[in-house]
Amino acid sequence: MNDSGSDFQLDQAIGMHLNRAAFLMTDEIARRFSDAGWPLSAQDFGIMFRLRSQGAMTQVEIAALMLRDKTTITRRIDGLVKKQLVERRPDPDDRRYFRIMLTPRGEKALDAMIPLVRDFQHEVLSDVPEADREATLRTLRHISELLISRRR
């Protein structure tokens, strides 16, 4: 089979555009967090937001939820602990594990960051018609669910 890929156009690859948009968005939101006095990444925000909405979790649970490897999540959590935004407490049911919890300082950081993320979302999407936003979210959710189901 001689498939030279002549019908493939990189500028039509959804993955390339997703990666580029994700990079630009995470870079910009990290800049805005830093400007507001919270030098954190979008991934840090994601961890903290999930801890607030879902309660204390183990690092393994956080890694699975965020589709990241345990080493990456451990590094992120180590940084958040150093900044006193989260803390590790022994799991009462299994002392081999720690539960990661937000600190009062972490709650305060989230209170400052959530409006920044909300405003940034509105700003980025302001020129995108509602129907296009809904179709994009529906498509991205479908792609994510398909790829997650293939991992098992």
Side-chain angles (χ1 to χ4, degrees):
M1 180 173 180
N2 186 12
D3 184 5
S4 66
S6 60
D7 63 338
F8 176 77
Q9 299 294 320
L10 185 60
D11 65 340
Q12 296 299 312
I14 195 167
M16 185 200 70
H17 290 286
L18 282 171
N19 189 47
R20 182 181 171 116
F23 171 80
L24 292 167
M25 290 181 76
T26 57
D27 189 59
E28 176 61 18
I29 201 63
R31 186 191 63 74
R32 291 180 186 209
F33 290 161
S34 184
D35 289 350
W38 301 101
L40 300 166
S41 69
Q43 194 170 30
D44 294 332
F45 173 80
I47 291 168
M48 293 170 61
F49 189 85
R50 284 176 173 89
L51 288 171
R52 176 184 273 181
S53 62
Q54 295 178 246
M57 290 187 271
T58 67
Q59 291 178 191
V60 172
E61 291 168 332
I62 294 168
L65 186 63
M66 296 190 68
L67 302 175
R68 297 285 190 264
D69 62 88
K70 290 181 277 187
T71 304
T72 299
I73 293 301
T74 298
R75 268 195 314 271
R76 300 269 27 121
I77 291 171
D78 286 347
L80 293 170
V81 167
K82 285 180 186 170
K83 293 175 182 173
Q84 301 177 338
L85 299 170
V86 302
E87 62 184 352
R88 289 181 174 99
R89 289 192 181 165
D91 188 309
D93 300 323
D94 189 339
R95 306 235 351 127
R96 295 173 295 172
Y97 295 99
F98 289 94
R99 310 277 308 157
I100 311 304
M101 308 173 72
L102 280 175
T103 64
R105 180 173 162 77
E107 293 283 353
K108 180 180 175 185
L110 274 177
D111 289 342
M113 290 188 295
I114 289 171
L116 295 174
V117 174
R118 183 183 312 115
D119 292 348
F120 180 54
Q121 282 278 134
H122 289 304
E123 182 183 321
V124 169
L125 296 172
S126 65
D127 293 339
V128 179
E130 182 67 27
D132 290 351
R133 284 187 238 168
E134 291 172 7
T136 300
L137 283 173
R138 202 171 37 252
T139 301
L140 292 174
R141 284 185 185 120
H142 176 80
I143 291 168
S144 293
E145 289 168 9
L146 175 70
L147 293 173
I148 289 169
S149 74
R150 290 182 177 177
R151 289 178 138 203
R152 297 180 183 139

